[in-house]
């Protein structure tokens, strides 16, 4: 990666664009709005389904299974979804994915109204919904580099996550709690209808969002790709050039190329392993979260949405400040610090004596997760070649999110004996993993070239 080209930019490019502070553009606005409405529908269903499940069973393991099944599609369909995203029009994929999810929400609503809902139909609905999610999320992440400039990736990812956190925690979840008090099926009806808007907006995105783009790379940029002689487990990533609106041909979209790339990209491979461990620890810790608030802290079911809204304050703050922290301190230090803060948040949640301190403590953990997600997402978009992005992201989430169901079920099993234990154990795992990954996060991120745009933005 050329230090000169990344820090100084094109001489004809406005200074605001080179600094990552220019407008993100109308096309990003369409994507952002589509994500907002999609997150509204997601949040309604994500809140309604577990609470509907609590009316059918009080077994912590069964409730945890709902959350676990949501991640199973990433294990079995993550890579195929990535191949579809790299091969076909990403706008169409986003629309089809939301059509599937809207259909599932309406199906569950009908079963609830007719009294035919059961824990098994919730399992099936969650699984099919998850299949649509693999397509939509993969396509959305792949589209971002096609609608914003490279120095804007951290800010764009922060805006996307802020929209998700705001809608999920401050709009969808509280509304779902109130709607559930009126009728169990009402959040599902409204959620199914809410998918119409993102379907339309996805189809209105420009051609640059449709497929991977041809790359412009100068000879000097190619020569600037250097190896990591001083770090045996760290390898320089492949930079993402500025996109041009010319789609790549559909041929040669294979899983082998993506697997080979990820296997030889030692830094990215180490980051995937670390993310899998950290994510599994958080999944393990929050498996009994709803029952923890309902049973251990005596929160009324109708108020659970407002409790999660309080937690969402931390997540929203993290989304807002993440890109600024990255610009000031760099991606590696910010990601490392986020893990220490996350471990502290989980520990304090497990020790919380009442609901207000528990909400504040878990809000701290949510803040840390949001801060981590922004540079981690931008980092992948920066170093993974655009024509491989869908497949590589599919593999990454297949490996990381594919472990979440196992961790969630284990957390639910431990919660049968003590609702607080999963949070305390999860805090310990996050802390130990972060200490072991200091070199990868600080040295590896810099040598992989993932700090350059972050610091100059």
């Amino acid at each position: 990666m050329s230090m000169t080209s990344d820090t100084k930019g094109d001489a004809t490019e406005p200074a605001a664009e080179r600094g990552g502070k220019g407008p993100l553009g109308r096309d990003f606005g369409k994507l952002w709005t589509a994500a907002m409405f999609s997150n509204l529908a997601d949040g309604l269903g994500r809140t309604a389904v577990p609470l509907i499940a609590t009316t059918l069973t009080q077994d912590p393991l069964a409730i945890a299974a709902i959350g676990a099944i949501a991640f199973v599609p990433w294990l079995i369909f993550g890579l195929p979804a990535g191949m579809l995203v790299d091969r076909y029009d990403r706008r169409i994929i986003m629309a089809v994915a939301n059509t599937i999810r809207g259909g599932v929400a309406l199906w569950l609503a009908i079963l609830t109204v007719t009294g035919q809902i059961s824990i098994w139909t919730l399992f099936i609905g969650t699984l099919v919904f998850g299949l649509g999610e693999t397509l939509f999320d993969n396509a959305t992440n792949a589209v971002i580099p096609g609608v914003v400039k490279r120095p804007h990736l951290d800010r764009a990812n922060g805006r996307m996550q802020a929209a998700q956190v705001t809608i999920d925690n401050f709009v969808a979840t509280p509304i779902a709690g109130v709607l559930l008090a009126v009728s169990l099926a009402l959040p599902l009806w409204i959620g199914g209808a809410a998918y119409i808007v993102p379907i339309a907006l996805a189809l209105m995105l420009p051609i640059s969002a449709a497929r991977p783009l041809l790359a412009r790379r100068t000879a000097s940029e190619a020569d600037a790709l250097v190896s990591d002689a001083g770090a045996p487990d760290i390898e320089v990533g492949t930079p993402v050039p500025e996109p041009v609106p010319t789609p790549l041909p559909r041929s040669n979209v294979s899983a082998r190329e993506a697997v080979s790339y990820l296997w030889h990209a030692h830094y990215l491979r180490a980051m995937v392993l670390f993310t899998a461990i950290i994510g599994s620890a958080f999944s393990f810790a929050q498996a009994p979260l709803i029952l923890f608030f309902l049973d251990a802290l005596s929160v009324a079911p109708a108020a659970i949405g407002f409790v999660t809204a309080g937690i969402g304050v931390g997540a929203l703050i993290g989304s807002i400040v993440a890109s600024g922290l990255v610009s000031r301190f760099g991606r590696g230090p910010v990601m490392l610090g986020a893990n220490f803060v996350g471990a502290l948040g989980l520990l304090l949640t497990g020790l919380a004596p009442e609901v207000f301190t528990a909400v504040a403590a878990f809000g701290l953990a949510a803040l840390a997760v949001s801060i981590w997600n922004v540079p981690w997402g931008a980092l992948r978009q920066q170093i993974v070649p655009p024509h491989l992005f869908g497949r590589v992201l599919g593999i990454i989430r297949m490996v990381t999110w594919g472990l979440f169901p196992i961790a969630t079920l284990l957390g639910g099993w431990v919660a049968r004996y003590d609702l607080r234990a999963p949070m305390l154990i999860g805090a310990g795992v996050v802390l130990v993993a972060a200490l072991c990954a200091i070199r990868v996060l600080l040295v590896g991120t810099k040598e992989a070239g993932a700090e350059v745009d972050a610091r100059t933005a």
Side-chain angles (χ1 to χ4, degrees):
M1 180 177 299
S2 172
M3 180 69 73
T4 302
S5 63
D6 282 328
T7 55
K8 294 183 179 180
D10 193 317
T12 62
E13 189 177 17
E17 295 294 322
R18 296 197 305 269
K21 297 182 180 180
L24 294 177
R26 180 181 299 178
D27 294 330
F28 176 78
K30 295 176 186 175
L31 181 65
W32 183 79
T33 305
M36 285 186 63
F37 276 92
S38 184
N39 287 322
L40 172 62
D42 290 350
L44 291 174
R46 192 177 297 115
T47 304
V49 169
L51 289 177
I52 291 173
T54 62
T55 67
L56 303 172
T57 179
Q58 290 297 308
D59 185 354
L61 184 60
I63 303 299
I66 295 288
I69 289 174
F71 290 108
V72 168
W74 287 101
L75 179 61
I76 62 177
F77 194 61
L79 179 55
M83 295 178 68
L84 291 173
V85 165
D86 282 344
R87 183 172 180 84
Y88 297 106
D89 191 323
R90 290 164 175 171
R91 301 168 298 179
I92 300 297
I93 290 174
M94 292 170 66
V96 169
N98 273 347
T99 301
I100 293 172
R101 297 198 286 181
V104 170
L106 296 177
W107 175 65
L108 291 177
I110 292 171
L111 291 179
T112 303
V113 169
T114 58
Q116 296 177 317
I117 196 72
S118 69
I119 194 70
W120 293 105
T121 54
L122 290 178
F123 289 164
I124 294 171
T126 301
L127 182 64
V128 178
F129 187 92
L131 292 174
E133 186 176 35
T134 61
L135 289 169
F136 183 83
D137 284 6
N138 202 321
T140 302
N141 277 272
V143 162
I144 292 175
V147 296
V148 301
K149 293 181 178 296
R150 182 176 174 179
H152 296 168
L153 287 176
D154 287 291
R155 192 153 57 95
N157 280 277
R159 291 268 184 96
M160 294 291 284
Q161 182 165 268
Q164 177 182 351
V165 170
T166 302
I167 295 297
D168 280 0
N169 293 280
F170 303 109
V171 180
T173 304
I175 288 176
V178 174
L179 294 177
L180 280 166
V182 178
S183 169
L184 286 178
L186 195 53
L188 298 172
W189 287 119
I190 296 177
Y195 283 113
I196 296 174
V197 173
I199 290 172
L201 288 173
L203 299 176
M204 296 169 60
L205 290 171
I207 187 64
S208 61
R211 309 243 0 269
L213 305 173
L214 289 174
R216 288 196 304 253
R217 180 177 296 163
T218 65
S220 61
E221 287 176 323
D223 292 339
L225 299 179
V226 295
S227 62
D228 55 340
D233 286 331
I234 309 298
E235 185 176 89
V236 174
T238 304
V240 176
E242 289 292 339
V244 293
T246 307
L248 285 171
R250 292 186 180 182
S251 60
N252 298 324
V253 177
S254 67
R256 179 179 298 181
E257 184 183 8
V259 172
S260 176
Y261 168 82
L262 189 57
W263 180 256
H264 290 93
H266 299 301
Y267 163 72
L268 188 58
R269 193 176 70 198
M271 288 292 292
V272 171
L273 176 61
F274 175 70
T275 304
I277 295 172
I278 295 297
S280 296
F282 272 92
S283 296
F284 177 89
Q286 66 188 29
L289 191 62
I290 289 181
L291 286 178
F292 172 69
F293 281 109
L294 292 177
D295 295 347
L297 301 180
S298 302
V299 175
I304 196 69
F306 296 97
V307 169
T308 56
I311 295 171
V313 171
L316 178 60
I317 293 173
S319 300
I320 294 172
V321 305
S323 62
L325 292 175
V326 169
S327 297
R328 182 176 178 84
F329 301 107
R331 289 197 180 109
V334 168
M335 290 191 290
L336 178 62
N339 281 281
F340 289 136
V341 173
L344 177 63
L346 291 180
L347 175 64
L348 294 177
T349 304
L351 298 175
E354 42 78 36
V355 64
F356 294 105
T357 53
V359 169
F362 202 80
L364 182 65
L367 177 143
V369 171
S370 290
I371 291 176
W372 163 272
N373 284 338
V374 170
W376 172 230
L379 183 153
R380 297 190 307 253
Q381 292 160 353
Q382 182 182 4
I383 69 177
V384 177
H387 72 283
L388 289 174
F389 187 86
R391 283 163 288 170
V392 171
L393 181 60
I395 296 171
I396 290 173
R397 288 191 166 173
M398 181 178 68
V399 173
T400 56
W401 291 17
L403 293 176
F404 293 177
I406 300 172
T408 302
L409 289 174
L410 287 174
W413 178 74
V414 172
R416 281 181 162 180
Y417 304 94
D418 186 343
L419 288 171
R420 296 176 182 269
M423 300 167 196
L424 300 176
I425 296 171
V429 173
V430 172
L431 177 61
V432 172
L435 290 172
C436 294
I438 289 177
R439 175 172 171 77
V440 172
L441 290 171
L442 298 184
V443 180
T445 301
K446 183 179 295 185
E447 294 189 1
E451 291 285 16
V452 178
D453 285 341
R455 298 302 293 271
T456 58

